Amino acid sequence: MKRLQFLAIAIGLLVTSVAHSQRPLSQATGRRGMVVSVSPPATRAGLEILKAGGNAVDAAVAVEFALAVTWPAAGNIGGGGFMMVHPAGGGDVVCIDYRETAPGAATETMFTRNDGRYSHKIVGVPGTVHGMVTAHKKFGKLPWKQLLQPAIILARDGFPIDRSLASSINSVLRSRSTRSAKRHQELIRVYGPSEGRSWTTGQKLVLPDLAATLERIANQGADGFYKGKTARLLAVEMASGDGLITEKDLAAYRARIRPAVHGTFRGHDVYGPPPPSSGGICLVQMLNVLEHLQLRKHERFSVRNVHVLTEAMKRAYCDRARYLGDADFVKIPPRLTSKEYARTLAGQIDPAKATPSASLAPEIQLAGESPETTHFSVVDAGGLAVSNTTTLEGSWGARIVVKGAGFVLNNEMGDFNWFPGTTDRRGRIGTPANRIRPGKRMLSSQTPTIVARDGRPVLITGSPGGRTIINTSLQMVLGIVEFEQDLPTAMKAARIHHQWFPDRLLYETHDGAITAETATRLKAMGHRLSARRRTSYQGDAHSILINAKTGEFHGVADWRRNGLAAGY
Ligand code: DON
């Protein structure tokens, strides 16, 4: 009987996954504007703002707030992220860093081995609202209040949920850890199904407390979140558990506008986010290395290409562990993105043999990530381009909803190096650069990316996926620039991931990209391979390609989770 049940589940999974990878892509073309995000109502919110005369940053702000309502596992006002902006008509590409910070009372050793990932003390000071205010002040055109209207209406009047959202809410509500602890009761109250035991597609989700919080942000700007009622509710929520965030921490939070990390690759300019994200530096470093390795002369998934790509990844992620953290607190060697350094690294790759990860950083003593994040892309008729990744860290963050304020809190403190000195083969990092300090931003892998040519954006991309994010962005850039694929082909291509430790190459299996023979040969070279389960994909890279000749936008939503591309 058990065996039969197992067989039925296995067949079910296979059917779903086959159906999933063959699902038609949501794609759109246009010349005046394009928005691609994971959540159809959020994409529509952005499009509505573009059509009302807003620019890409206005639309991005509207999408961000709408996602806080319609994609609560990752969309947020209680989290943070990175927004890359390529100004219309050229000029400096900047990154609005709205990463969370450690509260004033945080200490390097505040976490013990018994700490879980769903507590009050794992919450970082949220950056999203200040990030959006900062982006709007610098680039926005429409009045601030107007940008929040779509989100407020969605939260206040409710909206029918789709299959993806129903399954996300049902799974967080069903989880034993959510049901058992008192700190999650507000999440259960706010997101519990209006009728029946679980959510079904088409039922309406109404979020009145969140609507009221969004109203305060619409009316008072950053003060509507970081001061007054919202700040008080958040501080009270923190005090009800082991949380550290105070009203003072909230009042002190500032997003930063930082220069983008810049690299070049095959005649293109590549822009990624600077520290506290590791994304820009690692992406540029890997592209610099790959410039020497002529991937396009070989089959995309040949043994040779998978080998050198993996070796480039390993080295970049090793440097990430060694050196990267919040540059306001630690000094980061400038050579990491230099062409000379990349030449040295490329020269160290043995064409016939995998380098064991441990041998890359002998000085680091070795002791014996889950969705959600979300990425969206926007471009407007003037060529202003926005690449934005935002997160609560884990799916539904700390799974704590601020009582009376209706929003979910992040668990981003988990992105710091929790145990100083403990770097292990499973991927835990304990090096100094990313240890906890009050006010410091935790290291991120978010990699919203803009590729430009002759001062004009050609590709806007990025992804969720924890440490896999950087490699997903890398492979999107390679698909378009190195292999000259169209966007749907680059999007559908199987993705691979190596992050130094665990010393293991993880790969997607759809379309049989890495064949059994390739896998056997890679193993013989010393690689350790691990195929992803058929239902567990890498990333969700909602992207826009801009045709340099015709100026036409092509938006494609990744099929791996959910999404809508809409343009006009
Ligand atoms: O900032 C980071 O790198 C992580 N907090 C992102 C987490 C993530 O992408 C989980 N999602 N899919």
Side-chain angles (χ1 to χ4, degrees):
M1 188 61 193
K2 269 220 165 106
R3 196 179 289 175
L4 264 181
Q5 266 174 355
F6 176 76
L7 203 66
I9 293 171
I11 292 171
L13 281 178
L14 195 69
V15 170
T16 341
S17 76
V18 169
H20 205 52
S21 67
Q22 288 170 358
R23 210 161 63 182
L25 291 170
S26 164
Q27 47 182 322
T29 53
R31 288 175 180 277
R32 303 190 49 197
M34 179 68 60
V35 184
V36 194
S37 89
V38 70
S39 165
T43 292
R44 287 186 209 108
L47 197 68
E48 176 190 325
I49 292 294
L50 286 177
K51 287 186 173 169
N55 64 22
V57 169
D58 291 322
V61 171
V63 174
E64 179 90 10
F65 284 114
L67 284 170
V69 182
T70 64
W71 195 251
N76 66 82
I77 53 174
F82 296 87
M83 178 188 283
M84 301 286 299
V85 182
H86 189 301
D92 292 339
V93 178
V94 295
C95 174
I96 301 184
D97 156 8
Y98 57 99
R99 183 67 163 165
E100 299 90 329
T101 55
T107 64
E108 188 168 295
T109 51
M110 62 186 270
F111 291 105
T112 70
R113 277 166 209 278
N114 296 329
D115 280 314
R117 303 192 76 85
Y118 309 121
S119 61
H120 283 83
K121 84 170 170 186
I122 202 170
V123 182
V125 182
T128 296
V129 174
H130 205 268
M132 294 307 109
V133 168
T134 305
H136 176 253
K137 273 197 183 133
K138 180 150 177 75
F139 295 104
K141 224 166 96 186
L142 293 184
W144 170 252
K145 260 182 139 166
Q146 191 175 343
L147 309 183
L148 276 106
Q149 282 320 296
I152 291 172
I153 292 167
L154 285 161
R156 189 191 60 206
D157 300 348
F159 63 99
I161 63 173
D162 61 17
R163 203 169 64 159
S164 218
L165 180 54
S167 125
S168 169
I169 306 180
N170 287 337
S171 85
V172 73
L173 292 180
R174 252 199 317 264
S175 122
R176 190 175 305 160
S177 64
T178 309
R179 280 184 287 127
S180 58
K182 184 171 150 268
R183 58 180 167 267
H184 303 306
Q185 292 314 302
E186 184 68 356
L187 179 113
I188 295 173
R189 184 187 74 78
V190 169
Y191 285 99
S194 42
E195 51 193 76
R197 296 183 56 177
S198 56
W199 286 96
T200 51
T201 308
Q203 275 181 314
K204 202 172 183 191
L205 177 62
V206 189
L207 298 162
D209 289 348
L210 179 57
T213 301
L214 291 168
E215 290 268 13
R216 287 193 289 279
I217 299 168
N219 292 330
Q220 300 161 42
D223 286 356
F225 185 86
Y226 295 96
K227 291 185 179 162
K229 182 168 178 184
T230 317
R232 266 196 313 277
L233 290 171
L234 204 158
V236 168
E237 180 64 50
M238 286 287 118
S240 77
D242 54 0
L244 302 183
I245 301 174
T246 60
E247 287 187 62
K248 197 166 153 222
D249 288 319
L250 290 164
Y253 183 85
R254 295 288 176 274
R256 303 261 180 246
I257 304 182
R258 304 185 192 272
V261 170
H262 173 237
T264 57
F265 184 67
R266 287 203 179 274
H268 291 74
D269 293 291
V270 178
Y271 300 98
S277 180
S278 56
I281 290 180
C282 291
L283 175 67
V284 167
Q285 179 177 329
M286 289 190 281
L287 288 170
N288 284 345
V289 169
L290 294 168
E291 220 166 31
H292 296 276
L293 294 162
Q294 302 295 336
L295 296 176
R296 68 163 66 153
K297 295 208 171 130
H298 306 262
E299 277 296 311
R300 172 133 194 206
F301 292 102
S302 58
V303 173
R304 189 265 181 196
N305 273 1
V306 175
H307 169 65
V308 296
L309 194 50
T310 305
E311 292 297 302
M313 290 173 176
K314 235 181 243 181
R315 284 162 174 78
Y317 277 79
C318 176
D319 278 349
R320 176 186 185 277
R322 229 187 219 137
Y323 302 116
L324 300 188
D326 180 349
D328 291 344
F329 288 74
V330 292
K331 204 166 157 26
I332 293 173
R335 74 164 186 287
L336 297 180
T337 51
S338 79
K339 297 281 186 194
E340 302 83 75
Y341 180 57
R343 189 174 313 120
T344 313
L345 291 182
Q348 288 166 355
I349 295 177
D350 182 332
K353 255 191 10 232
T355 312
S357 290
S359 73
L360 287 175
E363 82 283 10
I364 300 179
Q365 278 270 319
L366 292 178
E369 272 159 58
S370 84
E372 270 308 318
T373 294
T374 191
H375 175 83
F376 63 86
S377 301
V378 187
V379 66
D380 66 24
L384 178 65
V386 177
S387 185
N388 188 95
T389 310
T390 186
T391 191
L392 289 164
E393 164 43 18
S395 184
W396 294 83
R399 300 186 177 178
I400 293 172
V401 167
V402 175
K403 206 178 223 151
F407 63 92
V408 184
L409 288 167
N410 69 81
N411 57 350
E412 217 75 59
M413 292 289 285
D415 276 357
F416 277 116
N417 294 351
W418 272 25
F419 303 116
T422 305
T423 301
D424 62 24
R425 289 168 192 272
R426 287 180 308 166
R428 178 179 284 159
I429 300 169
T431 50
N434 186 35
R435 290 184 191 161
I436 303 174
R437 291 274 179 280
K440 189 175 175 183
R441 287 153 146 87
M442 55 297 280
L443 185 65
S444 171
S445 300
Q446 291 168 70
T447 317
T449 301
I450 299 180
V451 178
R453 187 160 199 157
D454 304 325
R456 288 213 298 263
V458 293
L459 174 68
I460 310 169
T461 192
S463 177
R467 281 186 221 172
T468 67
I469 293 175
I470 315 172
N471 286 332
T472 299
S473 277
L474 171 72
Q475 286 161 90
M476 288 303 298
V477 175
L478 291 175
I480 299 298
V481 179
E482 177 75 17
F483 295 103
E484 298 178 322
Q485 292 171 328
D486 58 24
L487 190 52
T489 311
M491 187 77 80
K492 278 184 180 153
R495 296 174 184 150
I496 69 170
H497 173 70
H498 197 296
Q499 61 173 40
W500 181 51
F501 278 113
D503 188 351
R504 176 190 65 184
L505 172 64
L506 205 55
Y507 63 99
E508 288 183 328
T509 54
H510 61 274
D511 299 339
I514 293 186
T515 62
E517 193 206 331
T518 305
T520 307
R521 288 177 54 198
L522 285 164
K523 280 181 196 154
M525 293 167 81
H527 291 283
R528 290 174 51 212
L529 270 74
S530 181
R532 278 183 177 273
R533 276 184 296 112
R534 276 214 164 243
T535 45
S536 128
Y537 294 104
Q538 179 177 326
D540 194 36
H542 306 296
S543 307
I544 300 174
L545 189 68
I546 300 145
N547 186 315
K549 287 197 197 99
T550 64
E552 191 174 58
F553 309 141
H554 187 182
V556 180
D558 204 330
W559 50 270
R560 287 170 175 79
R561 289 188 193 172
N562 200 33
L564 176 71
Y568 74 118

